[in-house]
Amino acid sequence: MASNQGAAIAAGKVVTLHYTLRDPAGNELDSSATGEPIQYLHGVGMIVPGLEDGLAGKRQGERAKIVVAPEDGYGERDPRGIQQVTRDTFPPEAPLEAGLEFEAEGPDGEPILATVVSVDGDEVTIDLNHPLAGQTLHFEVAIHEVRDATAEELAHGHPHGAGGHHDH
Ligand code: ZN
């Protein structure tokens, strides 16, 4: 093994990377390119499972294309996620219109991202599916850094920024 190769991505590593996410047609859905790279702790489910699996074993400096099927990404679309609610479900100041994304409560009480589908008078149709549910995800990643998580990061289950210092 070449001596200039850094540690491979595995459980317990803190990984810093830039990514661009596209749909199968090549349209950009999301990207870190205009801001700071993202940082995550590998092996704890901070990122979608298919991306985490695809990154395992990769090293600092590598670039990769990782294609993630819906079931390994944000899940398949569930038709039961389309629901009718009344306008008073939302705060009066909410800018209610089709396409508005808002935080709702999932089946286990966890916060989930939901979308307003349409507004018809007092009736609001919402979609509790993640906006990327049912979508095959095409990630392009550039791995900037792979380092061991500190004991504190492992205990907290998340990274603590550059060098692992505690900032909260
Ligand atoms: Zn912490």
Side-chain angles (χ1 to χ4, degrees), residues 152-153 156-160 166-168:
E152 196 172 52
E153 287 173 322
H156 286 203
H158 56 231
H160 282 155
H166 199 245
D167 58 1
H168 60 256

Short mmCIF file of all heavy atoms in Angstrom, two decimals, residues 152-153 156-160 166-168, ligand 1:
data_model
loop_
_atom_site.label_atom_id
_atom_site.label_comp_id
_atom_site.label_asym_id
_atom_site.label_seq_id
_atom_site.Cartn_x
_atom_site.Cartn_y
_atom_site.Cartn_z
N GLU A 152 -14.80 12.23 22.70
CA GLU A 152 -15.96 13.06 22.96
C GLU A 152 -16.94 13.06 21.78
O GLU A 152 -18.15 12.98 21.95
CB GLU A 152 -15.49 14.49 23.24
CG GLU A 152 -16.54 15.37 23.88
CD GLU A 152 -15.94 16.70 24.30
OE1 GLU A 152 -15.29 17.36 23.47
OE2 GLU A 152 -16.10 17.06 25.46
N GLU A 153 -16.39 13.12 20.57
CA GLU A 153 -17.24 13.07 19.38
C GLU A 153 -17.99 11.74 19.31
O GLU A 153 -19.17 11.69 18.97
CB GLU A 153 -16.41 13.28 18.11
CG GLU A 153 -15.95 14.72 17.94
CD GLU A 153 -14.98 14.90 16.77
OE1 GLU A 153 -14.12 14.00 16.56
OE2 GLU A 153 -15.08 15.91 16.08
N HIS A 156 -20.78 11.79 21.80
CA HIS A 156 -21.90 12.65 21.40
C HIS A 156 -22.58 12.13 20.14
O HIS A 156 -23.72 12.50 19.85
CB HIS A 156 -21.40 14.07 21.11
CG HIS A 156 -21.05 14.84 22.35
ND1 HIS A 156 -21.02 16.21 22.38
CD2 HIS A 156 -20.70 14.42 23.59
CE1 HIS A 156 -20.69 16.60 23.60
NE2 HIS A 156 -20.47 15.54 24.33
N GLY A 157 -21.87 11.34 19.32
CA GLY A 157 -22.46 10.84 18.08
C GLY A 157 -22.45 11.84 16.95
O GLY A 157 -23.18 11.70 15.98
N HIS A 158 -21.60 12.89 17.05
CA HIS A 158 -21.48 13.87 15.96
C HIS A 158 -20.11 14.54 16.03
O HIS A 158 -19.48 14.54 17.08
CB HIS A 158 -22.60 14.91 16.03
CG HIS A 158 -22.68 15.64 17.35
ND1 HIS A 158 -23.84 15.76 18.07
CD2 HIS A 158 -21.73 16.28 18.08
CE1 HIS A 158 -23.60 16.44 19.17
NE2 HIS A 158 -22.34 16.77 19.20
N PRO A 159 -19.66 15.09 14.90
CA PRO A 159 -18.35 15.74 14.90
C PRO A 159 -18.40 17.12 15.55
O PRO A 159 -19.46 17.72 15.68
CB PRO A 159 -18.00 15.86 13.41
CG PRO A 159 -19.30 15.80 12.69
CD PRO A 159 -20.29 15.09 13.57
N HIS A 160 -17.24 17.58 15.96
CA HIS A 160 -17.12 18.87 16.65
C HIS A 160 -16.33 19.89 15.87
O HIS A 160 -15.67 20.75 16.46
CB HIS A 160 -16.49 18.67 18.03
CG HIS A 160 -17.46 18.13 19.04
ND1 HIS A 160 -17.07 17.43 20.14
CD2 HIS A 160 -18.81 18.19 19.08
CE1 HIS A 160 -18.15 17.07 20.84
NE2 HIS A 160 -19.21 17.51 20.21
N HIS A 166 -14.55 21.35 21.14
CA HIS A 166 -15.93 21.38 21.60
C HIS A 166 -16.48 22.79 21.51
O HIS A 166 -15.91 23.71 22.07
CB HIS A 166 -16.01 20.87 23.03
CG HIS A 166 -17.38 20.45 23.43
ND1 HIS A 166 -18.10 21.08 24.40
CD2 HIS A 166 -18.15 19.46 22.96
CE1 HIS A 166 -19.28 20.48 24.51
NE2 HIS A 166 -19.34 19.50 23.66
N ASP A 167 -17.56 22.97 20.76
CA ASP A 167 -18.07 24.33 20.58
C ASP A 167 -19.54 24.45 20.95
O ASP A 167 -20.25 25.32 20.49
CB ASP A 167 -17.83 24.82 19.14
CG ASP A 167 -18.48 23.91 18.11
OD1 ASP A 167 -19.13 22.92 18.52
OD2 ASP A 167 -18.35 24.18 16.92
N HIS A 168 -20.03 23.54 21.76
CA HIS A 168 -21.42 23.69 22.21
C HIS A 168 -21.61 23.07 23.59
O HIS A 168 -20.71 22.41 24.09
CB HIS A 168 -22.40 23.05 21.23
CG HIS A 168 -22.15 21.57 21.06
ND1 HIS A 168 -21.54 21.06 19.95
CD2 HIS A 168 -22.38 20.54 21.86
CE1 HIS A 168 -21.44 19.75 20.10
NE2 HIS A 168 -21.92 19.41 21.24
ZN ZN B 1 -21.14 17.32 20.83
#
